[in-house]
Amino acid sequence: MTANIIDGKAFAGTVREKVAAHVARLKEENNITPGLAVVLVGEDPASQVYVRSKGKQTVETGMKSVEHKLDVDTSEADLLALIDQLNNDETIHGILVQLPLPKHLNEDLVINSISPAKDVDGFHISNVGLLGTGQKSMVPCTPLGCLMMLRDYHGSLSGLNAVVIGRSNIVGKPMAQLLLGDSCTVTIAHSRTKDLEEVVRRADIVVAAVGRPEMVPGSWIGKGATVIDVGINRIEKEDGKMKLVGDVDFASVSEVAGAITPVPGGVGPMTIACLLANTLTACCRANGLQEPEGLTA
Ligand code: NAD
């Protein structure tokens, strides 16, 4: 059996098109332009790449993009003052503070100082609580992207057995909440899970968010299961070249699974597309306008 490939890159393209079309309507009918502010503290190379890519795609969908690049030794007080200013800026509907922050800054404090309505990463404690209680919230981008692909592939997820490997606050836990919201029977597995292999084998849906290269082999996957690979791991191959791989062993898993997201080209592109979708959603909510269909949880 060879799995269907869930093409996240193409799917992200359709999400961006939907966002751009809605943004164009907002401008024409309401004279409103959604705005996203991204704050980067320090010069972490990977973060710089992400921030550049986010800014470029924000502009391409017709939204306003503002970047604030701060010195690595910026004080907490200065960062909080900038967030306060952005919270009060009516032209900014989404605020994203790129993580990780330098060690002297308290990430929880910083994230929780963002207005929940503008928290397009969905990490604010209020949004975490709203998601956990099944209420309207800003949903973290990576799990939202995974959910969109799963809904698109399966239609209804109701009653399916879903196993999420990884319990982080940014991927594993919100992913589990979203799957529960769609009436899956959800198991969260993690580094202390016993018989992980057996747990994974029972799943109709496997979401791997661990950060260990090619950890999940095909022998763990139930026949026909849908596998969403969130992992992004850079490894050196035998020929000395660097390669990006996921948390599942694509070659063996695609022999048994019914469907699989590749790395790269799966979850990654969906994450930024969902950030754009969240910014648009936040803008519509702020202005009491109808939210875009199919772009929220
Ligand atoms: P994290 O390190 O915060 O969490 C990893 C989780 O994996 C932990 O909950 C841990 O319990 C679990 N784990 C570790 N070893 C395990 C093992 N042997 N068996 C079972 N579970 C184990 O990581 P994260 O931030 O959730 O990210 C996970 C992966 O997803 C990373 O590769 C990261 O780069 C990637 N990621 C990708 C995107 C994207 O846009 N595609 C976004 C966020 C994270």
Side-chain angles (χ1 to χ4, degrees), residues 94-224:
I95 303 169
L96 181 150
V97 177
Q98 185 65 43
L99 302 178
L101 288 171
K103 294 227 169 344
H104 67 283
L105 300 170
N106 179 337
E107 263 181 23
D108 287 339
L109 180 74
V110 169
I111 295 304
N112 290 325
S113 72
I114 298 172
S115 159
K118 297 190 180 189
D119 168 40
V120 280
D121 250 344
F123 297 159
H124 190 289
I125 192 74
S126 297
N127 283 314
V128 175
L130 290 167
L131 178 63
T133 48
Q135 300 179 69
K136 198 187 259 193
S137 64
M138 294 307 304
V139 178
C141 303
T142 300
L144 178 58
C146 296
L147 182 76
M148 282 186 191
M149 290 192 284
L150 284 168
R151 282 178 176 170
D152 182 66
Y153 185 74
H154 282 275
S156 169
L157 304 180
S158 180
L160 296 179
N161 275 324
V163 172
V164 179
I165 318 176
R167 57 176 160 181
S168 73
N169 289 336
I170 63 167
V171 189
K173 282 183 202 156
M175 185 74 248
Q177 298 283 8
L178 289 171
L179 291 165
L180 204 52
D182 271 28
S183 301
C184 289
T185 303
V186 183
T187 304
I188 305 181
H190 47 78
S191 54
R192 303 290 175 89
T193 297
K194 283 186 189 156
D195 302 326
L196 180 60
E197 201 179 317
E198 277 309 307
V199 172
V200 173
R201 203 170 286 123
R202 290 199 299 268
D204 302 307
I205 293 170
V206 179
V207 180
V210 184
R212 292 170 76 102
E214 299 173 325
M215 184 190 97
V216 179
S219 59
W220 290 16
I221 301 296
K223 209 164 189 250

Side-chain angles (χ1 to χ4, degrees), residues 211-215 231-250 263-264:
R212 292 170 76 102
E214 299 173 325
M215 184 190 97
I232 302 179
N233 309 288
R234 208 170 290 275
I235 58 162
E236 193 176 336
K237 284 291 193 192
E238 288 107 44
D239 59 7
K241 288 191 179 146
M242 297 306 282
K243 194 183 172 205
L244 220 53
V245 297
D247 288 341
V248 308
D249 174 35
F250 186 86
V263 177

